Amino acid sequence: MDFGLVLQTDPPASAVVGLMRRAERNGFRYGWTFDSAVLWQEPFVIYSRILEHTEKLTVGPMVTNPGTRTWEVTASTFATLNDMYGNRTVCGIGRGDSAMRVAGRRPNTLARLGEAIDVIRDLAEGREATVDGQPVQIPWVKDGRLPVWMAAYGPQALALAGQKADGFILQLADPFLTEWMIKAVRDAASDAGRDPDSVTICVAAPAYVGDDLDHAREQCRWFGGMVGNHVADLVARYGEHSGLVPEALTAYVAGRSGYDYSHHGRTGNPSADFVPDEIVERFCLLGPAEAHVEKLRALRDLGVDQFAVYAMHDAREATIDAYGRHVIPVLRDRPSRPLLRGA
């Protein structure tokens, strides 16, 4: 099992770089950041510094979207970083939540997202692609490689991830929901004629190591609010009792009254006051290191290839170090992936 660290690009950028260096020293192999140009600093500028000051860390957004930047700009930016530092980037992508809504735009359609996945990958790897009806190729790309991993929750998005993406990003760590969603992605990959095991599975969620569960829950409650923002879209589209989305995912948003992006992804987010303790514990990893290992083993057995730690709380350094000492050494080498139940 691989491990990643997820940060917001709050100033100073040097602090983000320092935490990523700390993560690499502790055995993390991926460094991810949010990508929302109004709320945080520009991540691609910071990636260049992270790559310069690390040796093997792979970096990328969790997640970018097809609307903030034109596709050839996104591809060229990744390709430039890869040319400078040796194919050490990954493109996490989704429809766009905070990045689009804060700027007064709607999230991208799945059709547009699916087209963007192909175009950005092709251009960043040196192949010709069609952009707005125009054939485009970046002539200086040599031996470029850009895996594109898609974030998804709903049935149509999960199907698209299985059909097109190199990896699937699931932003919650509930084993029941993880199993359901991995199966949906792998079934879609198989139906599309792809090897379902070729899709890398990444689960991302807050992790807080310590014995004070009350404090840990309060530090991570924001995550249930952030996930709830996506779930509310699914309820609006499919209905709470449609059967197309598990009620274990949708039921808790009934008390949600709105969302303030000025607190997005931050401890103390008042828009997360509707999130019950049960959801925080199901979606996040809390408690002593042994509890983290136990839950991660369960996720690994379901087919999860990477766990990415959201570190938006008051114990970032301590959590990175605890994972380096007590969690990553136990779970770094994974056995062969078992069949999913019901597969």
Side-chain angles (χ1 to χ4, degrees):
M1 187 180 237
D2 279 333
F3 288 84
L5 177 67
V6 189
L7 299 173
Q8 294 166 336
T9 51
D10 289 314
S14 58
V16 178
V17 176
L19 287 169
M20 291 298 185
R21 294 181 67 187
R22 189 183 197 115
E24 185 179 56
R25 292 195 300 270
N26 276 282
F28 289 76
R29 290 178 174 167
Y30 285 77
W32 303 91
T33 74
F34 283 33
D35 177 17
S36 190
V38 174
L39 297 177
W40 300 286
Q41 292 186 330
E42 172 56 41
F44 287 95
V45 176
I46 300 172
Y47 295 157
S48 188
R49 293 296 301 275
I50 294 171
L51 290 165
E52 180 182 3
H53 290 284
T54 56
E55 295 181 2
K56 297 181 179 179
L57 201 70
T58 295
V59 305
M62 189 178 280
V63 293
T64 193
N65 71 86
T68 301
R69 306 170 188 85
T70 60
W71 303 347
E72 70 274 16
V73 169
T74 297
S76 180
T77 304
F78 277 113
T80 300
L81 291 171
N82 284 337
D83 186 66
M84 293 171 67
Y85 299 104
N87 288 338
R88 290 169 54 199
T89 66
V90 57
C91 177
I93 195 168
R95 292 178 59 220
D97 178 36
S98 63
M100 298 297 287
R101 286 176 163 137
V102 168
R105 305 184 188 102
R106 294 176 60 85
N108 297 270
T109 65
L110 287 175
R112 179 173 170 82
L113 175 57
E115 185 181 357
I117 287 172
D118 290 335
V119 169
I120 291 169
R121 184 198 292 119
D122 283 346
L123 290 177
E125 295 186 346
R127 294 183 295 275
E128 182 180 288
T130 300
V131 181
D132 294 331
Q134 177 72 28
V136 175
Q137 187 170 14
I138 302 176
W140 49 263
V141 174
K142 307 297 181 185
D143 301 318
R145 182 177 180 275
L146 183 66
V148 181
W149 297 8
M150 179 182 156
Y153 289 111
Q156 294 180 34
L158 294 168
L160 181 62
Q163 292 159 6
K164 288 185 175 289
D166 301 298
F168 163 49
I169 297 171
L170 172 57
Q171 291 164 309
L172 55 81
D174 176 68
F176 171 78
L177 293 169
T178 298
E179 181 174 21
W180 181 83
M181 293 188 185
I182 290 176
K183 185 178 186 304
V185 170
R186 295 209 185 284
D187 284 350
S190 181
D191 291 344
R194 304 178 66 198
D195 176 2
D197 286 338
S198 69
V199 182
T200 302
I201 306 296
C202 175
V203 161
Y208 197 106
V209 181
D211 295 323
D212 187 343
L213 286 178
D214 289 336
H215 182 72
R217 280 194 295 264
E218 291 311 310
Q219 288 291 305
C220 299
R221 195 175 304 276
W222 63 265
F223 183 67
M226 187 184 82
V227 173
N229 205 44
H230 298 288
V231 172
D233 286 346
L234 298 181
V235 172
R237 177 181 291 270
Y238 298 107
E240 183 177 344
H241 306 291
S242 66
L244 296 173
V245 182
E247 291 193 29
L249 179 61
T250 61
Y252 85 98
V253 301
R256 177 182 180 274
S257 58
Y259 194 80
D260 182 354
Y261 279 97
S262 66
H263 303 284
H264 188 58
R266 298 187 185 278
T267 296
N269 185 345
S271 299
D273 58 359
F274 70 94
V275 180
D277 289 351
E278 176 193 4
I279 288 294
V280 181
E281 293 175 13
R282 287 180 59 177
F283 285 9
C284 305
L285 276 79
L286 312 175
E290 295 80 10
H292 291 242
V293 169
E294 181 181 2
K295 189 167 186 177
L296 288 169
R297 278 180 171 148
L299 292 170
R300 184 181 66 180
D301 289 345
L302 294 174
V304 174
D305 300 294
Q306 180 185 150
F307 177 61
V309 175
Y310 277 106
M312 295 77 172
H313 50 57
D314 64 2
R316 296 185 300 179
E317 293 87 351
T319 296
I320 293 168
D321 293 347
Y323 263 65
R325 287 194 301 269
H326 305 298
V327 179
I328 294 176
V330 178
L331 292 158
R332 166 57 60 79
D333 297 321
R334 62 167 298 146
S336 298
R337 181 183 292 147
L339 290 174
L340 291 174
R341 293 193 297 274

